[in-house]
Amino acid sequence: MRCRGAVSALAAVFVAVGSTVGAGAVAAQAPVTQRVVVVDGSRAEVTSVQGRQVMVRIHSAAMGRDVEVKVQRPADISVPRPSLYLVNGAGGGEDTATWEENTDVVDFLADKPVNVVMPIGGAWSYYTDWREPDPMLGVNKWRTFFLDELPALVDTLFATTGRNAIAANSMSVTSILQLAIAKPGLYRSVAAYSGCAQISDPIGRQFVNLVVATGGGDASNMYGPPGDPAWAANDPVVNAEGLRGTRLYISNSNGLPGEHDRLGDPHLVTWGPVGLANQVVVGGVIEAATNWCTKNLQDRLVELDIPATFDLSTRGTHSWGYWQKAFKNSWPLLAEGMAVPA
């Protein structure tokens, strides 16, 4: 993503991008048959329903905290439907750097027969289970949340088919690949846009350190100091064998200015020449770096003979216009994993 204000260049670009685009068009209200469900000590409560948009408060037993989750229900809920987990980047959906605010993806999904599940929380956490509580970021057991708590609660609350897919950009690319490796089959399709999968080498680890530090956290509380075996144990490139059998769509641009890097583009965070310069320079550097990571992941998957769709554009920066396009390109693969028409 792109830099805002005085936030440092590399990490801040993961924070946010975008111009505001409204939520998906609301059709007739879809009934919610249950308001509260409890699964293994974690609890989900419907707090509001506006048309097909349902707000759910989930109490995570693993983290001892409440997490807000927005769910867009499909128009037809006469039969169980699968779920697409749409995950935001470094800001965790707690700011305006969200798919809903900066793209038309939620609108695009409005006529698709899927539940769109959008968690709000986990900024700067890499959505993983941290070794220690962090003085600034608190207790982070997000991998447990995404593997064991959230899907079970969503499936129970909305009577889904149990078939899931997951998509994410930037920081959260690392996270969703880790999830696919940790629990094969839970997310049958994974779409990852402009992220750095490798984290245990010095460059990848520095990516993590910078992003976490932007939120005031200390990455040593995540996986320990440099050289700790936990870094390699959680590196999706090192552990890429665990991706075998998962449908994979992975996209990246090379950082050179492209079609969305122009004055007047609706996806610019800051309008005018300054905003464009920021997107081209800072967003270009970040995208070039993630492109290096993505090509390393590609090489590893080729080495292991694991099928994956790679969309490596020749031009483009780390910004929402490219992620919106990549999401739509990845939709057939996501739909296949959920067994719905593309």
Side-chain angles (χ1 to χ4, degrees), residues 54-255:
V54 181
M55 289 300 300
V56 181
R57 180 185 300 116
I58 291 182
H59 180 74
S60 166
M63 292 188 285
R65 72 166 83 169
D66 290 347
V67 179
E68 296 296 324
V69 177
K70 179 180 286 189
V71 180
Q72 178 172 278
R73 299 282 274 143
D76 179 5
I77 59 168
S78 61
V79 296
R81 300 296 186 185
S83 300
L84 170 65
Y85 290 77
L86 187 59
V87 185
N88 295 296
E94 299 174 28
D95 51 16
T96 59
T98 68
W99 288 97
E100 192 169 21
E101 287 286 334
N102 299 294
T103 73
D104 66 2
V105 163
V106 176
D107 287 324
F108 171 80
L109 292 167
D111 65 351
K112 306 298 188 288
V114 300
N115 298 289
V116 184
V117 183
M118 298 170 277
I120 304 169
W124 320 111
S125 70
Y126 271 87
Y127 290 119
T128 190
D129 283 3
W130 287 41
R131 174 179 294 180
E132 302 287 345
D134 187 82
M136 181 62 69
L137 302 181
V139 174
N140 291 292
K141 297 294 181 183
W142 291 99
R143 184 176 303 180
T144 297
F145 180 77
F146 275 96
L147 293 181
D148 302 326
E149 296 181 313
L150 180 59
L153 290 166
V154 167
D155 290 345
T156 303
L157 190 62
F158 297 111
T160 74
T161 65
R163 296 182 71 99
N164 306 313
I166 193 166
N169 62 313
S170 199
M171 176 198 81
S172 302
V173 164
T174 309
S175 314
I176 64 173
L177 292 171
Q178 290 172 330
L179 295 175
I181 292 169
K183 199 166 186 176
L186 176 62
Y187 298 104
R188 302 188 184 205
S189 294
V190 173
Y193 321 109
S194 300
C196 188
Q198 62 192 83
I199 62 170
S200 60
D201 70 296
I203 295 175
R205 192 171 60 250
Q206 184 65 4
F207 264 55
V208 176
N209 288 335
L210 286 169
V211 172
V212 171
T214 301
D218 181 352
S220 66
N221 292 320
M222 182 190 297
Y223 297 136
D228 190 292
W231 286 92
N234 289 280
D235 187 320
V237 175
V238 173
N239 299 285
E241 177 62 39
L243 295 170
R244 191 179 301 278
T246 299
R247 296 169 182 83
L248 299 169
Y249 179 98
I250 300 163
S251 72
N252 226 104
S253 299
N254 66 2

Side-chain angles (χ1 to χ4, degrees), residues 247-268:
R247 296 169 182 83
L248 299 169
Y249 179 98
I250 300 163
S251 72
N252 226 104
S253 299
N254 66 2
L256 294 175
E259 61 181 306
H260 295 292
D261 302 298
R262 56 181 175 80
L263 287 174
D265 189 274
H267 301 284
L268 283 176

